[in-house]
Amino acid sequence: MRYLSTRGSAPVLDFRGATLAGLASDGGLYVPETWPTLTPEEIEGLAGLSYAQTAAKIMAPFVGDSLTRQELQDLCDTAYGRFSHAAVTPLVQLDHDQWLLELFHGPTLAFKDVALQMLGLLFERFLRGTDTRLTIVGATSGDTGSAAIDAVAGRANIDIFMLHPAGRVTEIQRRQMTTVLAPNVHNIAIEGNFDDAQALVKAMFNDRAFADRHTLSAVNSINWARLMAQVVYYFYAAVRLGAPGKRIAFSVPTGNFGDVFAGYVAARMGLPVERLIVATNVNDILHRALSSGDYSKGQVQATATPSMDIQVSSNFERLLFDANGRDGAALAAQMKGFEGSGAMRLTNAQSQAIAPLFTSARVDADDMSRAMRWAADEAGQILDPHTGIALSAARKSGLDVPVVTLATAHPAKFTDAVERATGSRPALPRRVGDLFEREERYTTLPATFDAVTAFIDGHGLR
């Protein structure tokens, strides 16, 4: 399997190279040269497998010869052995056609663990026996940071610098990052929003001198290996609900488009996905793009769903690349225009290619709260607000197939919002119950390229 950039001019890499690189050198995102496919019989054969066995089967075509099949299975066994539920991503039934896929049973209580536990192991495996020291830089709107830090803390030959918007993540989310005191972990609170943090990360990758000096890599969903790992739970859930004999829809709370793009990959691989519902909050650039072709930045509004308070959805570029006939040069020009003006219209070809699989919904705070109350009162399920956004969209979809809402975080990560909506204040699981007693360590910096790169230059372990 080879990987090429969405913008067409970066070197073509194998899986190992694409994993270590993260962002392509031309500013694009790596995608597989072709989409592997599974036959209905192969999908049916996943029914009796554990999550780790399913993961190895789904990932194998993307990994190619960068790992042996046994090495890949061993990594999957290790990655998913840390989850608190034996099913890793269990399904919960809400009513006759609404389901939850619980993705928060990993060590940091969020769906990012499913991918980042695997990515941390891949980094370590690919660096073994080399003299390369990898510097991971990332931006987080809440959950990516803690999951990435947990995955690489203390690992050999890796430094991690994680940027979060000061005051715009919950206290639990912040503490899950800043109480990890391993010497290779550096938390930076920037005086700006998530889009500012994400722009700084992209700027660091695009500064060739800085990127080469530090051997940069990414843990955000711009890294293909992270998306690859997220494809697995779409197959795992759908097979348990009757696939390939039955079509399944998924409702996904999303800001950066990574989680829902993994569902698109599953569909391209042959999973019978009826619809992917892109559920946004009032920061609705993705809803506007999918419903009217208007991909234009607005002002970021702070909400009870901070992981979705985004106006630039990095992974949307991957979908546009496929929808544009994989014309890297044309997409590079389109994205350059967007980066310059903050506004872009999807082409007719892109809109027509996207329409059959995707639908979208913009969910405000009132509808989110109503969905959370319904889940608590009618199904006995306490949801985090991001999942409430997706459940609201799912219940309004009108689809006549099973609809799986991705439950992306443990409700205890958003106690205030959950209590406002449901009257219940969820407790942290026992395994992280001492979080508020742990020492914190982080640095606050202005949201400028010079300030952040100077800090990284001065604090990387050498």
Side-chain angles (χ1 to χ4, degrees):
M1 177 64 76
R2 304 196 314 162
Y3 290 83
L4 45 85
S5 169
T6 53
R7 302 196 186 182
S9 59
V12 175
L13 301 176
D14 64 3
F15 176 73
R16 178 184 183 277
T19 299
L20 293 177
L23 189 70
S25 59
D26 60 1
L29 306 180
Y30 277 109
V31 292
E33 190 172 45
T34 58
W35 296 115
T37 57
L38 300 180
T39 66
E41 292 74 24
E42 288 172 323
I43 296 172
E44 189 174 1
L46 300 172
L49 303 184
S50 70
Y51 191 90
Q53 290 169 329
T54 303
K57 290 276 190 183
I58 299 302
M59 294 182 195
F62 297 108
V63 169
D65 58 5
S66 292
L67 296 168
T68 68
R69 291 298 177 92
Q70 189 58 54
E71 286 173 331
L72 177 58
Q73 185 64 68
D74 290 345
L75 291 179
C76 291
D77 291 340
T78 300
Y80 302 117
R82 294 190 64 198
F83 283 63
S84 63
H85 196 293
V88 181
T89 61
L91 279 164
V92 175
Q93 189 166 8
L94 298 177
D95 64 14
H96 65 286
D97 61 0
Q98 298 287 336
W99 299 75
L100 288 179
L101 181 61
E102 293 186 343
L103 302 177
F104 51 73
H105 293 281
T108 73
L109 314 181
F111 81 99
K112 312 291 177 73
D113 289 321
V114 180
L116 288 170
Q117 287 295 310
M118 187 68 188
L119 184 58
L121 294 170
L122 287 169
F123 281 146
E124 186 174 59
R125 174 66 182 82
F126 290 151
L127 292 171
R128 188 182 302 158
T130 75
D131 58 2
T132 300
R133 187 171 193 91
L134 204 64
T135 299
I136 296 170
V137 292
T140 184
S141 53
D143 291 330
T144 289
S146 56
I149 286 168
D150 183 271
V152 304
R155 294 198 181 278
N157 301 318
I158 300 173
D159 299 317
I160 183 167
F161 294 84
M162 187 56 61
L163 282 62
H164 72 269
R168 297 198 183 205
V169 299
T170 70
E171 187 176 5
I172 289 173
Q173 288 176 313
R174 188 191 75 242
R175 285 178 173 273
Q176 283 190 307
M177 296 185 283
T178 60
T179 58
V180 179
L181 305 183
N184 68 328
V185 172
H186 306 274
N187 281 288
I188 301 171
I190 65 151
E191 296 168 335
N193 59 38
F194 172 76
D195 287 336
D196 297 324
Q198 185 162 255
L200 286 167
V201 170
K202 294 198 81 169
M204 284 183 267
F205 274 93
N206 289 328
D207 185 310
R208 294 315 309 163
F210 181 82
D212 291 343
R213 182 162 73 250
H214 288 281
T215 315
L216 292 189
S217 191
V219 291
N220 286 67
S221 51
I222 59 176
N223 192 310
W224 168 257
R226 177 173 149 179
L227 279 184
M228 172 195 72
Q230 292 173 257
V231 175
V232 176
Y233 46 71
Y234 285 91
F235 277 93
Y236 190 73
V239 165
R240 277 148 187 80
L241 291 176
K246 180 175 287 188
R247 299 183 68 82
I248 311 296
F250 294 88
S251 185
V252 188
T254 190
N256 214 20
F257 206 74
D259 205 10
V260 72
F261 186 79
Y264 169 79
V265 175
R268 291 301 304 262
M269 293 179 72
L271 191 68
V273 177
E274 178 69 19
R275 228 9 147 245
L276 293 170
I277 305 167
V278 178
T280 77
N281 63 12
V282 294
N283 296 292
D284 62 350
I285 185 171
L286 287 170
H287 171 61
R288 287 184 282 110
L290 293 168
S291 60
S292 66
D294 174 26
Y295 189 70
S296 301
K297 291 170 62 176
Q299 188 69 33
V300 175
Q301 300 181 50
T303 73
T305 49
S307 297
M308 302 165 74
D309 293 346
I310 295 171
Q311 286 289 350
V312 179
S313 299
S314 291
N315 280 287
F316 197 53
E317 180 170 335
R318 284 184 163 114
L319 181 65
L320 294 178
F321 177 67
D322 250 21
N324 203 40
R326 297 199 144 208
D327 185 336
L331 185 62
Q334 191 177 21
M335 295 308 298
K336 183 178 180 180
F338 172 72
E339 289 161 0
S341 67
M344 182 175 77
R345 295 290 307 178
L346 273 60
T347 67
N348 287 337
Q350 287 170 333
S351 294
Q352 290 170 8
I354 290 168
L357 184 60
F358 290 91
T359 188
S360 64
R362 177 189 190 273
V363 178
D364 64 18
D366 289 340
D367 282 345
M368 174 197 77
S369 294
R370 277 190 282 270
M372 293 169 69
R373 284 196 297 273
W374 177 84
D377 294 344
E378 302 299 325
Q381 295 294 315
I382 303 299
L383 310 183
D384 91 284
H386 302 80
T387 306
I389 294 278
L391 180 61
S392 177
R395 295 188 70 223
K396 293 177 180 179
S397 67
L399 297 171
D400 60 357
V401 299
V403 182
V404 177
T405 292
L406 272 56
T408 52
H410 192 286
K413 299 191 81 167
F414 303 91
T415 48
D416 292 341
V418 172
E419 186 173 31
R420 284 194 301 270
T422 68
S424 298
R425 192 168 182 86
L428 283 169
R430 186 178 303 172
R431 65 186 188 277
V432 292
D434 66 342
L435 183 65
F436 289 88
E437 301 167 16
R438 302 175 193 170
E439 178 187 350
E440 284 193 90
R441 185 176 67 202
Y442 64 98
T443 301
T444 302
L445 295 175
T448 67
F449 182 82
D450 289 345
V452 174
T453 54
F455 181 87
I456 294 173
D457 282 335
H459 290 80
L461 295 178
R462 286 289 172 261

